[in-house]
Amino acid sequence: MIRGVIKTLEVKWKSYRHRFVPWIAVNLQKNERTLRQVTARSEDKTVPDVDVSASLVKLFTALLKNDVTKRDVLRLLPSSVQSRYLQNSSKTQTDSPGQVMLHTLGFWIERSPSSLPFAGTGTVYQEYEPILLQSIGNPFVFRCIDRVLIDGNDKGISKIVYRSCSGRDRMGPLALCDVSWLTDSPENPLAVGQYVNNCSNEKAANVCYQEFDVPEDFPLELHQYLPNVSYRHDTKRPLRCVVLVSLREIECGEELFSNYYTIVH
């Protein structure tokens, strides 16, 4: 019985220690290869925000054009908006989101079992907002450079909070965020970044996390594919997202690994 308790505590500790600041400070330098270091906050962005936004708009537009189930909602929008997405109204079959991503961006990703033995979506919290209960036993809390937190857990109280906030934020018939990433059939195939494992001395990082604030001119009808929502409806800042950016050419079938820690000098 005692061994069982110790084993349980050991598993909990291995999950929690990466958010325990004293442990991080002591152990950071032991695995230099797992660290990503930049000399300033401005250098943390590998790809300009304008290019990130353009790629998201391109994919989300293709997803909306492809989804025949959303035509009735689109017909409620102004004709200038309808014309962008209803050009092929005779189409009766929807391709999978992965197929749309492949045809639009030239690649696609999927969630699969990791090759590791211990193998950025969610609710966005400002540094002064409560997240204690949601963070307990939760390995999916991402901390941004400016201390904004993103809870990417698709289970438990985190899931309840996200669904509640997503139901609150709507613009008429339009959803302002995506809830399908909480299911086994996400409509946005990019919404898997929280499942990418940390790199190791044996498995070098091939992608990195990059913070992205959704611009004001981002098409309103495409917000339904953003897998993030603000904890408070009156937050006076752009919606924060975290995207994955490749660090090199990635081979077909290759597993993605990122750096969980970025040090800004």
Side-chain angles (χ1 to χ4, degrees), residues 35-49 52 142-148 207-213 240-247 258-265:
L35 303 178
R36 179 169 174 260
Q37 304 193 37
V38 296
T39 57
R41 287 191 179 188
S42 59
E43 295 185 10
D44 184 47
K45 293 185 181 294
T46 305
V47 177
D49 282 350
V52 173
F142 183 96
R143 182 177 181 179
C144 299
I145 290 178
D146 57 1
R147 299 182 182 178
V148 169
V207 296
C208 69
Y209 292 107
Q210 178 172 310
E211 298 168 20
F212 169 70
D213 287 339
R240 174 66 52 80
C241 296
V242 176
V243 298
L244 279 175
V245 178
S246 62
L247 297 173
S258 183
N259 299 96
Y260 279 8
Y261 302 107
T262 297
I263 299 178
V264 181
H265 294 281

Side-chain angles (χ1 to χ4, degrees), residues 108-126:
W108 72 303
I109 56 178
E110 63 180 353
R111 183 181 174 188
S112 300
S114 174
S115 61
L116 298 180
F118 301 105
T121 58
T123 307
V124 181
Y125 295 82
Q126 306 305 312

Side-chain angles (χ1 to χ4, degrees), residues 145-215:
I145 290 178
D146 57 1
R147 299 182 182 178
V148 169
L149 300 174
I150 301 179
D151 182 6
N153 194 0
D154 60 2
K155 296 179 175 61
I157 189 172
S158 299
K159 180 177 182 178
I160 295 173
V161 169
Y162 186 91
R163 282 194 177 278
S164 175
C165 293
S166 66
R168 172 201 67 201
D169 295 347
R170 296 187 66 89
M171 183 67 70
L174 290 176
L176 296 182
C177 65
D178 174 36
V179 297
S180 66
W181 69 272
L182 298 172
T183 71
D184 294 329
S185 302
E187 295 181 7
N188 175 6
L190 290 176
V192 294
Q194 70 271 38
Y195 304 114
V196 173
N197 283 314
N198 190 29
C199 62
S200 66
N201 291 327
E202 295 75 29
K203 303 281 188 178
N206 50 16
V207 296
C208 69
Y209 292 107
Q210 178 172 310
E211 298 168 20
F212 169 70
D213 287 339
V214 180

Side-chain angles (χ1 to χ4, degrees), residues 66-109:
N66 173 72
D67 194 344
V68 298
T69 66
K70 296 185 177 179
R71 287 179 181 167
D72 289 341
V73 173
L74 286 173
R75 291 190 176 96
L76 299 175
L77 302 178
S79 57
S80 59
V81 176
Q82 292 184 37
S83 62
R84 303 176 198 166
Y85 309 103
L86 297 177
Q87 298 169 353
N88 186 15
S89 58
S90 61
K91 182 178 179 180
T92 59
Q93 186 174 359
T94 298
D95 295 329
S96 71
Q99 290 174 314
V100 175
M101 181 178 178
L102 180 61
H103 296 153
T104 306
L105 300 181
F107 68 93
W108 72 303
I109 56 178

Side-chain angles (χ1 to χ4, degrees), residues 7-77:
K7 186 67 176 179
T8 300
L9 291 175
E10 183 180 358
V11 172
K12 294 290 187 181
W13 167 245
K14 286 182 177 180
S15 173
Y16 175 73
R17 64 187 180 183
H18 299 286
R19 288 180 287 141
F20 186 57
V21 175
W23 184 91
I24 295 174
V26 171
N27 289 274
L28 270 182
Q29 304 305 322
K30 292 183 179 180
N31 294 287
E32 289 283 350
R33 193 178 180 185
T34 65
L35 303 178
R36 179 169 174 260
Q37 304 193 37
V38 296
T39 57
R41 287 191 179 188
S42 59
E43 295 185 10
D44 184 47
K45 293 185 181 294
T46 305
V47 177
D49 282 350
V50 63
D51 293 341
V52 173
S53 182
S55 294
L56 293 179
V57 169
K58 183 178 180 180
L59 175 61
F60 294 173
T61 298
L63 289 171
L64 190 52
K65 285 182 178 180
N66 173 72
D67 194 344
V68 298
T69 66
K70 296 185 177 179
R71 287 179 181 167
D72 289 341
V73 173
L74 286 173
R75 291 190 176 96
L76 299 175
L77 302 178

